[in-house]
Short mmCIF file of all heavy atoms in Angstrom, two decimals:
data_model
loop_
_atom_site.label_atom_id
_atom_site.label_comp_id
_atom_site.label_asym_id
_atom_site.label_seq_id
_atom_site.Cartn_x
_atom_site.Cartn_y
_atom_site.Cartn_z
N GLN A 1 -11.09 3.69 -8.69
CA GLN A 1 -10.04 4.70 -8.75
C GLN A 1 -9.84 5.47 -7.45
O GLN A 1 -8.77 6.03 -7.23
CB GLN A 1 -10.33 5.67 -9.90
CG GLN A 1 -10.38 4.98 -11.26
CD GLN A 1 -10.75 5.93 -12.38
OE1 GLN A 1 -11.14 7.07 -12.15
NE2 GLN A 1 -10.63 5.46 -13.61
N SER A 2 -10.85 5.56 -6.61
CA SER A 2 -10.71 6.32 -5.37
C SER A 2 -10.02 5.47 -4.31
O SER A 2 -10.12 4.23 -4.31
CB SER A 2 -12.07 6.79 -4.86
OG SER A 2 -12.86 5.69 -4.48
N ASP A 3 -9.33 6.13 -3.41
CA ASP A 3 -8.62 5.42 -2.34
C ASP A 3 -9.60 4.70 -1.43
O ASP A 3 -9.28 3.67 -0.84
CB ASP A 3 -7.78 6.42 -1.54
CG ASP A 3 -6.67 5.75 -0.77
OD1 ASP A 3 -5.96 4.91 -1.36
OD2 ASP A 3 -6.52 6.04 0.43
N HIS A 4 -10.81 5.22 -1.30
CA HIS A 4 -11.82 4.64 -0.41
C HIS A 4 -12.37 3.32 -0.94
O HIS A 4 -12.76 2.45 -0.17
CB HIS A 4 -12.97 5.64 -0.22
CG HIS A 4 -14.04 5.16 0.69
ND1 HIS A 4 -13.88 5.11 2.07
CD2 HIS A 4 -15.30 4.69 0.44
CE1 HIS A 4 -14.99 4.65 2.62
NE2 HIS A 4 -15.86 4.39 1.66
N SER A 5 -12.38 3.14 -2.27
CA SER A 5 -12.99 1.95 -2.86
C SER A 5 -11.97 0.93 -3.34
O SER A 5 -12.35 -0.08 -3.94
CB SER A 5 -13.88 2.36 -4.04
OG SER A 5 -13.10 2.99 -5.05
N ARG A 6 -10.71 1.14 -3.10
CA ARG A 6 -9.69 0.21 -3.58
C ARG A 6 -9.82 -1.16 -2.91
O ARG A 6 -10.23 -1.28 -1.77
CB ARG A 6 -8.29 0.76 -3.29
CG ARG A 6 -7.83 1.83 -4.24
CD ARG A 6 -6.48 2.37 -3.83
NE ARG A 6 -5.97 3.34 -4.77
CZ ARG A 6 -4.93 4.14 -4.53
NH1 ARG A 6 -4.31 4.08 -3.37
NH2 ARG A 6 -4.53 5.00 -5.44
N THR A 7 -9.43 -2.19 -3.66
CA THR A 7 -9.35 -3.52 -3.09
C THR A 7 -8.01 -3.68 -2.39
O THR A 7 -7.14 -2.80 -2.44
CB THR A 7 -9.48 -4.59 -4.17
OG1 THR A 7 -8.39 -4.45 -5.10
CG2 THR A 7 -10.80 -4.45 -4.92
N LEU A 8 -7.85 -4.81 -1.72
CA LEU A 8 -6.63 -5.03 -0.95
C LEU A 8 -5.40 -5.04 -1.85
O LEU A 8 -4.38 -4.43 -1.52
CB LEU A 8 -6.76 -6.35 -0.18
CG LEU A 8 -5.66 -6.66 0.82
CD1 LEU A 8 -5.52 -5.54 1.84
CD2 LEU A 8 -5.94 -7.97 1.52
N MET A 9 -5.48 -5.74 -2.98
CA MET A 9 -4.31 -5.82 -3.87
C MET A 9 -3.99 -4.46 -4.48
O MET A 9 -2.82 -4.07 -4.57
CB MET A 9 -4.56 -6.85 -4.97
CG MET A 9 -4.62 -8.28 -4.50
SD MET A 9 -3.11 -8.84 -3.69
CE MET A 9 -3.70 -9.06 -2.01
N ALA A 10 -5.02 -3.73 -4.89
CA ALA A 10 -4.78 -2.40 -5.45
C ALA A 10 -4.26 -1.46 -4.38
O ALA A 10 -3.39 -0.62 -4.62
CB ALA A 10 -6.07 -1.85 -6.06
N GLY A 11 -4.81 -1.57 -3.17
CA GLY A 11 -4.33 -0.73 -2.08
C GLY A 11 -2.90 -1.03 -1.70
O GLY A 11 -2.13 -0.11 -1.38
N LEU A 12 -2.51 -2.31 -1.75
CA LEU A 12 -1.14 -2.67 -1.41
C LEU A 12 -0.14 -2.09 -2.41
O LEU A 12 1.03 -1.87 -2.07
CB LEU A 12 -0.99 -4.19 -1.34
CG LEU A 12 -1.55 -4.85 -0.08
CD1 LEU A 12 -1.45 -6.36 -0.19
CD2 LEU A 12 -0.80 -4.36 1.16
N THR A 13 -0.57 -1.88 -3.65
CA THR A 13 0.31 -1.26 -4.63
C THR A 13 0.69 0.15 -4.19
O THR A 13 1.87 0.54 -4.21
CB THR A 13 -0.39 -1.21 -6.00
OG1 THR A 13 -0.76 -2.53 -6.38
CG2 THR A 13 0.53 -0.62 -7.05
N ALA A 14 -0.31 0.94 -3.79
CA ALA A 14 -0.03 2.28 -3.26
C ALA A 14 0.65 2.20 -1.91
O ALA A 14 1.49 3.03 -1.57
CB ALA A 14 -1.34 3.06 -3.15
N PHE A 15 0.30 1.17 -1.13
CA PHE A 15 0.88 0.97 0.19
C PHE A 15 2.39 0.76 0.08
O PHE A 15 3.17 1.33 0.86
CB PHE A 15 0.21 -0.24 0.83
CG PHE A 15 0.57 -0.47 2.28
CD1 PHE A 15 -0.06 0.25 3.27
CD2 PHE A 15 1.51 -1.41 2.64
CE1 PHE A 15 0.23 0.03 4.60
CE2 PHE A 15 1.83 -1.63 3.96
CZ PHE A 15 1.18 -0.90 4.95
N GLN A 16 2.81 -0.05 -0.88
CA GLN A 16 4.24 -0.31 -1.06
C GLN A 16 4.97 0.95 -1.52
O GLN A 16 6.11 1.20 -1.11
CB GLN A 16 4.44 -1.44 -2.06
CG GLN A 16 3.94 -2.78 -1.57
CD GLN A 16 4.15 -3.87 -2.60
OE1 GLN A 16 5.24 -4.06 -3.12
NE2 GLN A 16 3.09 -4.62 -2.90
N ASN A 17 4.33 1.76 -2.37
CA ASN A 17 4.96 3.01 -2.79
C ASN A 17 5.10 3.98 -1.63
O ASN A 17 6.09 4.74 -1.55
CB ASN A 17 4.13 3.65 -3.91
CG ASN A 17 4.15 2.84 -5.18
OD1 ASN A 17 5.11 2.11 -5.45
ND2 ASN A 17 3.08 2.92 -5.95
N ARG A 18 4.12 3.97 -0.72
CA ARG A 18 4.15 4.88 0.41
C ARG A 18 5.20 4.48 1.44
O ARG A 18 5.82 5.32 2.08
CB ARG A 18 2.76 4.90 1.06
CG ARG A 18 2.55 6.01 2.07
CD ARG A 18 1.11 5.96 2.58
NE ARG A 18 0.16 5.92 1.48
CZ ARG A 18 -1.09 5.51 1.60
NH1 ARG A 18 -1.54 5.09 2.75
NH2 ARG A 18 -1.89 5.52 0.55
N TYR A 19 5.39 3.16 1.61
CA TYR A 19 6.32 2.67 2.62
C TYR A 19 7.45 1.87 1.97
O TYR A 19 7.92 0.88 2.54
CB TYR A 19 5.59 1.77 3.63
CG TYR A 19 4.53 2.47 4.42
CD1 TYR A 19 3.18 2.33 4.09
CD2 TYR A 19 4.86 3.28 5.51
CE1 TYR A 19 2.20 2.98 4.83
CE2 TYR A 19 3.88 3.92 6.25
CZ TYR A 19 2.56 3.76 5.90
OH TYR A 19 1.58 4.39 6.64
N ASN A 20 7.88 2.31 0.79
CA ASN A 20 8.87 1.52 0.06
C ASN A 20 10.21 1.45 0.78
O ASN A 20 11.02 0.58 0.49
CB ASN A 20 9.05 2.06 -1.36
CG ASN A 20 9.49 3.52 -1.37
OD1 ASN A 20 9.48 4.20 -0.34
ND2 ASN A 20 9.86 4.01 -2.54
N LEU A 21 10.47 2.35 1.72
CA LEU A 21 11.72 2.32 2.49
C LEU A 21 11.55 1.63 3.84
O LEU A 21 12.53 1.41 4.54
CB LEU A 21 12.26 3.74 2.69
CG LEU A 21 12.64 4.50 1.41
CD1 LEU A 21 13.15 5.89 1.76
CD2 LEU A 21 13.68 3.73 0.61
N ASP A 22 10.31 1.31 4.21
CA ASP A 22 10.04 0.64 5.48
C ASP A 22 9.60 -0.78 5.19
O ASP A 22 8.41 -1.09 5.11
CB ASP A 22 8.97 1.40 6.26
CG ASP A 22 8.95 1.02 7.74
OD1 ASP A 22 9.44 -0.09 8.06
OD2 ASP A 22 8.47 1.83 8.56
N ILE A 23 10.57 -1.68 5.02
CA ILE A 23 10.29 -3.05 4.60
C ILE A 23 9.39 -3.80 5.58
O ILE A 23 8.45 -4.49 5.16
CB ILE A 23 11.60 -3.82 4.37
CG1 ILE A 23 12.47 -3.10 3.32
CG2 ILE A 23 11.31 -5.24 3.91
CD1 ILE A 23 11.80 -2.94 1.99
N PRO A 24 9.61 -3.72 6.91
CA PRO A 24 8.73 -4.45 7.82
C PRO A 24 7.26 -4.07 7.69
O PRO A 24 6.38 -4.93 7.83
CB PRO A 24 9.29 -4.08 9.21
CG PRO A 24 10.73 -3.79 8.96
CD PRO A 24 10.76 -3.12 7.63
N VAL A 25 6.96 -2.81 7.43
CA VAL A 25 5.57 -2.39 7.28
C VAL A 25 4.96 -3.02 6.02
O VAL A 25 3.83 -3.51 6.04
CB VAL A 25 5.46 -0.86 7.24
CG1 VAL A 25 4.02 -0.43 6.96
CG2 VAL A 25 5.94 -0.24 8.53
N VAL A 26 5.71 -3.00 4.93
CA VAL A 26 5.24 -3.60 3.68
C VAL A 26 5.02 -5.10 3.87
O VAL A 26 3.99 -5.66 3.45
CB VAL A 26 6.23 -3.33 2.54
CG1 VAL A 26 5.80 -4.07 1.28
CG2 VAL A 26 6.34 -1.84 2.27
N MET A 27 5.96 -5.77 4.51
CA MET A 27 5.83 -7.21 4.73
C MET A 27 4.68 -7.53 5.67
O MET A 27 4.01 -8.56 5.52
CB MET A 27 7.15 -7.78 5.28
CG MET A 27 8.30 -7.71 4.31
SD MET A 27 7.94 -8.58 2.77
CE MET A 27 9.45 -8.28 1.84
N ALA A 28 4.42 -6.67 6.64
CA ALA A 28 3.28 -6.88 7.53
C ALA A 28 1.97 -6.77 6.74
O ALA A 28 1.05 -7.58 6.94
CB ALA A 28 3.30 -5.85 8.66
#
């Protein structure tokens, strides 16, 4: 549940929400 222990797939879920308007960052 903590941001420090997230896996890559779980982190990318929050990552996409954080950069949902910046498509190149999400695709990178």
Side-chain angles (χ1 to χ4, degrees):
Q1 299 177 351
S2 66
D3 201 47
H4 181 75
S5 62
R6 282 177 176 167
T7 62
L8 188 56
M9 291 300 113
L12 283 175
T13 303
F15 188 81
Q16 293 180 51
N17 293 332
R18 192 177 309 160
Y19 297 101
N20 59 350
L21 298 180
D22 198 337
I23 302 301
V25 175
V26 175
M27 294 303 178

